[in-house]
Amino acid sequence: MSFIITRSDLLAPQKEQVDKLMPYLVQVLRAALGSVGQGVRLGNVHCVSAKRGWWTTQIKDEIRERGGGVWLVGKSHGRQDVLLPPPQPEQRFPTMPTVSHLPGTTASPIRIPFGGGKGEVIDLPGLARGSLEEYVVSQHRSDLVMRQRIKPVQYVIKPGQSLLISGLVRITPSTPGIVVLAYPFVPLTAHVTSTEKAIAINTQTHSSGVPTIAKPGIGQKMALAGSFQLQWDVTKQRAGPLTSSSAAGLSVNALPFIVLAVDILIEGCGWVELTAQVRLKDMDYTGGGSKYPTVDIWSPNGDYIAQRQPMNGWLLGKTKVSPAGRARPRRSMKGLYDIRLGQGAAILPRDVKRIHLDFAFKISNGHFGARKVWRNYLPRLKYHNPAVSMTVNRSQDQAGPATLTIFYASPHNSPTSPPSSAATSSSTTSNTSTSDHTPFERAETISMKHRHESQILSDLLNLTKATPVVASPEEEAGLQALADEKKRSEADRARNAAYTEQKRQEKALLDQARGAIGAS
């Protein structure tokens, strides 16, 4: 006997992840078989995904190798027919299609011979056990079928709240003071609301905007399916960086809390993963056992609900974080240090209202220093003085002057608080006029033509009496770290260049030797 799990692409997004789930699947299957399962050899458990093409070829090859009769038995809507040949074209009676894309269409045994009559596959009708369909309005019955893997959303169920799933199933934590995290792997709509409101919606005694697909009049059939304990310890999987070897690296036994979980199964629909974090001192060890967090679940007639060991499906779909050794390097602070520190980093007095530069587009005829001031020093000044307007006028007249004009505000125009963003904007245009701004008391002009940029900056700082910005100890340490990194990079480049040159020379010698051998 072989156990085949169909539609395994619903379990995890990647084939490799489903492969790693095989020990878990065998353990769950053995638990489902009860006492009989303890003595059953379960080395013949297979996963199949016809949609993704996972393991279907291997299963078909195994069927052919057996050579005898193969019987496919499973629950209705279980899609055992994925192992059969492709659907045949429908014809009039007596020839009928052997496979249909619709679930539950195998009305009688289907016999498929193979291997020139050496064997056959017999597909039996599914075993009907009842489902939630009879409690769902007809237009939404197809919504119960999970057609693709669900990307669950995390729901936080606080004390006094319940999780309602399309009006059919209600999950209510019964342990006081416990916050439960829920991850529904179902193709239905989930909603967290107050327990009082959830009971009213579930029993259909109150109408609201919460989406529901339950048939009218089934509210009185809602019954307690059971109280389920979150009894499986998933602390190691859920503790994150606390127990990761690349982060804190703490032992699970050293943590002051424990994370417990359970998977709540909704027959023919999916499952809901429930987890809760509990402080160890709140665990009750009296009576010879632990007191686990408990949830009460209501469903139609109290049926269609079960539990299993958690699969941690939420973690399977999450994006993996790269290990610390291979993590993406942090962006360098060099750009920020370049604009915060260095020549031109100074704080201007409050009476400086505006700085305006006039020079030509090209650097010939003495405009080189002005261009350097604009490109290297003006950004640092603007960074430390965002309230000072700084404008640039570049002309086509190479023979014209290159000047830096400082405008000082009059006392009654001096701001007592930082001005609006409109007053702090700067521009680089060719038609900026000195009369386009607020009135000023006086202006001082520095000639920049045929002068070095350091001389121009010195005159600017002396005229305005600006205060140079000095690097803090933290910034000094950052600059030193950048300098050390630069040295290491240069050493690495030199080492790589030497290695490349050595390989090139070895290749040249080898090519030369091969040529000499070929000539002889």
Side-chain angles (χ1 to χ4, degrees):
M1 178 184 295
S2 295
F3 296 92
I4 298 178
I5 302 172
T6 59
R7 306 179 69 191
S8 61
D9 56 286
L10 302 180
L11 301 178
Q14 298 179 5
K15 181 179 178 180
E16 294 75 12
Q17 292 176 318
V18 178
D19 282 334
K20 292 180 180 180
L21 284 176
M22 190 58 66
Y24 163 81
L25 298 175
V26 172
Q27 187 176 358
V28 171
L29 178 58
R30 193 179 297 278
L33 293 175
S35 58
V36 179
Q38 304 303 319
V40 177
R41 180 180 177 272
L42 295 178
N44 49 358
V45 180
H46 307 280
C47 292
V48 172
S49 171
K51 180 178 180 181
R52 305 286 292 274
W54 294 350
W55 303 285
T56 53
T57 302
Q58 293 88 328
I59 296 299
K60 292 179 181 179
D61 290 342
E62 182 178 335
I63 291 175
R64 293 188 185 95
E65 291 174 0
R66 293 189 179 186
V70 178
W71 300 74
L72 301 180
V73 184
K75 183 181 180 296
S76 61
H77 300 188
R79 298 313 308 271
Q80 299 87 269
D81 52 11
V82 298
L83 301 178
L84 299 180
Q88 304 296 317
E90 184 173 355
Q91 301 180 16
R92 299 186 64 183
F93 182 83
T95 305
M96 297 296 290
T98 58
V99 182
S100 171
H101 68 283
L102 299 174
T105 52
T106 305
S108 61
I110 299 176
R111 309 171 73 98
I112 307 295
F114 65 89
K118 295 180 180 179
E120 65 178 357
V121 176
I122 303 174
D123 183 18
L124 298 177
L127 304 176
R129 296 183 297 185
S131 67
L132 286 171
E133 288 185 358
E134 55 184 297
Y135 302 99
V136 177
V137 291
S138 57
Q139 62 268 29
H140 287 289
R141 287 179 178 175
S142 61
D143 295 343
L144 295 175
V145 181
M146 189 188 301
R147 292 176 172 81
Q148 59 184 0
R149 186 177 187 275
I150 304 296
K151 294 183 178 179
V153 178
Q154 175 179 282
Y155 292 89
V156 180
I157 309 176
K158 300 178 181 179
Q161 293 183 332
S162 297
L163 179 68
L164 199 62
I165 300 177
S166 292
L168 293 172
V169 178
R170 173 168 61 91
I171 302 176
T172 302
S174 57
T175 303
I178 294 295
V179 176
V180 177
L181 303 182
Y183 308 92
F185 287 85
V186 293
L188 304 176
T189 303
H191 182 78
V192 175
T193 184
S194 65
T195 299
E196 181 180 356
K197 185 177 179 181
I199 294 174
I201 297 173
N202 193 219
T203 57
Q204 297 183 343
T205 59
H206 173 74
S207 60
S208 69
V210 178
T212 177
I213 61 175
K215 271 185 179 180
I218 69 165
Q220 58 184 357
K221 297 183 179 180
M222 295 297 169
L224 179 65
S227 297
F228 300 89
Q229 293 181 339
L230 282 68
Q231 55 183 304
W232 282 276
D233 187 355
V234 293
T235 309
K236 186 175 181 179
Q237 295 87 345
R238 286 277 184 168
L242 290 178
T243 56
S244 175
S245 58
S246 60
L250 297 176
S251 172
V252 174
N253 299 328
L255 299 177
F257 61 86
I258 185 174
V259 182
L260 302 170
V262 68
D263 278 357
I264 300 298
L265 308 180
I266 304 176
E267 185 173 349
C269 188
W271 73 95
V272 181
E273 181 179 331
L274 301 178
T275 63
Q277 178 176 305
V278 184
R279 293 182 299 180
L280 289 177
K281 66 179 183 179
D282 293 338
M283 298 288 291
D284 183 13
Y285 290 96
T286 59
S290 302
K291 182 178 181 182
Y292 298 104
T294 306
V295 295
D296 296 335
I297 303 180
W298 277 261
S299 64
N301 293 327
D303 297 329
Y304 317 110
I305 302 297
Q307 71 175 8
R308 73 178 181 203
Q309 178 182 349
M311 188 176 65
N312 290 315
W314 165 256
L315 300 178
L316 291 176
K318 292 185 65 177
T319 303
K320 290 186 177 181
V321 180
S322 301
R326 299 174 55 188
R328 183 178 179 179
R330 187 184 63 171
R331 192 172 182 177
S332 175
M333 295 288 290
K334 182 177 183 301
L336 182 59
Y337 287 145
D338 283 347
I339 197 171
R340 289 175 58 179
L341 306 171
Q343 290 185 324
I347 299 176
L348 298 170
R350 294 174 59 87
D351 59 342
V352 175
K353 185 65 176 178
R354 175 187 168 206
I355 296 178
H356 179 75
L357 280 72
D358 270 301
F359 58 95
F361 273 94
K362 298 181 179 180
I363 63 175
S364 58
N365 295 337
H367 292 268
F368 183 80
R371 181 184 176 89
K372 283 287 188 178
V373 170
W374 168 53
R375 296 295 298 272
N376 298 340
Y377 300 155
L378 205 62
R380 295 192 182 108
L381 277 173
K382 185 64 179 177
Y383 177 85
H384 291 284
N385 303 275
V388 179
S389 176
M390 299 181 186
T391 56
V392 178
N393 178 34
R394 302 176 66 191
S395 66
Q396 301 290 346
D397 185 10
Q398 292 297 135
T403 59
L404 185 152
T405 307
I406 307 167
F407 298 92
Y408 299 88
S410 57
H412 61 276
N413 285 334
S414 296
T416 57
S417 60
S420 64
S421 59
T424 63
S425 63
S426 60
S427 63
T428 304
T429 63
S430 58
N431 56 358
T432 305
S433 171
T434 58
S435 61
D436 292 341
H437 299 267
T438 56
F440 53 87
E441 182 182 15
R442 61 187 177 90
E444 294 180 338
T445 302
I446 300 173
S447 176
M448 300 187 292
K449 199 166 185 179
H450 297 290
R451 299 187 66 192
H452 194 269
E453 62 271 16
S454 60
Q455 297 175 339
I456 302 172
L457 177 64
S458 177
D459 290 348
L460 172 62
L461 298 181
N462 291 334
L463 282 176
T464 58
K465 296 180 176 58
T467 304
V469 175
V470 180
S472 63
E474 292 80 7
E475 291 170 339
E476 290 285 359
L479 290 173
Q480 184 61 43
L482 287 176
D484 296 341
E485 183 180 352
K486 184 178 179 180
K487 291 181 180 178
R488 289 193 299 268
S489 299
E490 291 174 352
D492 291 341
R493 282 194 295 269
R495 183 170 56 254
N496 291 336
Y499 177 81
T500 304
E501 178 63 19
Q502 179 184 358
K503 289 296 182 182
R504 188 191 66 79
Q505 292 178 0
E506 292 176 354
K507 184 177 182 301
L509 293 174
L510 183 60
D511 293 342
Q512 184 179 0
R514 287 173 177 172
I517 294 174
S520 62

